[in-house]
Amino acid sequence: VQKTLPIDAGGGDPQDNYQLIARLDFSLSTATQAYVRYAYQNQESLPGTNSSSPYAGFDTAYVNHNHNVLGSLTHVFSPTLTSQTKVVWNRLYGDQPLNGDAQPTLYMNPTTSVRLQGYRITFPGYLPWGPGTAIPFGGPQQLLQLYQDFNWVKGRHDLRFGGYYMHTNHDRTSGAYANSVQSLNTTSAALPWIGAFRAIRRP
């Protein structure tokens, strides 16, 4: 089978990708300064960049939709004492979805692909040359960070102290072992099934 696929030829996978960033700075008083920054990324690749198959309906892509918000507040209490507060929240969503309903997979053997005359033997399914791997894979990851620190100047010394809090939430899905995986061999040996097939058909 000869098939045209959107592959990385040196400049990255074919994809639609754009990124936005905006920042707002403002003064609450002569001693208090603040800013808010927001960044966003939207990336969607073409079917066939993540997994490909000579059979119709099994080419898949990947997506990334990422958000980041940062807020910062700086207050000067005195010429020797300064406070800085930061809040960071981001949501990273990366996914490798299926192209249609999930299907059982069939391989020559359970560990590696098998070739005949230099060509990989391929059956219908996702990731047809990767036994042991599976999709879909991905999901959102959320992160919350809180910073609070103080900068204190005492004579010839500059002291900095404060605290930090981080909360992470992962909500990922992995397709490994979610659907049946079948192989014609029980080991990684190349082609013992052909001998068995011939023995069955021998008159």
Side-chain angles (χ1 to χ4, degrees), residues 8 14 36-37 45-47 52 57 63 66 74 101 104 106 116 121 125 130 144 151-152 154 166 172:
D8 182 0
V36 177
R37 186 191 68 197
S45 66
L46 299 181
S52 59
V63 298
N66 302 320
T74 302
D101 296 330
L106 176 63
L116 280 177
I121 301 175
L144 174 65
N151 197 78
W152 181 35
K154 181 65 174 178
M166 180 179 71
R172 291 189 174 273

Side-chain angles (χ1 to χ4, degrees), residues 39-84:
Y40 174 69
Q41 179 191 24
N42 184 303
Q43 180 186 37
E44 297 184 2
S45 66
L46 299 181
T49 53
N50 185 44
S51 70
S52 59
S53 171
Y55 299 92
F58 293 103
D59 293 342
T60 68
Y62 60 87
V63 298
N64 288 292
H65 303 295
N66 302 320
H67 302 264
N68 178 270
V69 179
L70 167 64
S72 176
L73 177 68
T74 302
H75 180 74
V76 178
F77 291 98
S78 70
T80 60
L81 181 62
T82 303
S83 169
Q84 184 177 47

Side-chain angles (χ1 to χ4, degrees), residues 7-8 98 135 162 185 193:
I7 64 172
D8 182 0
L98 298 176
I135 53 176
N185 298 329
W193 71 276

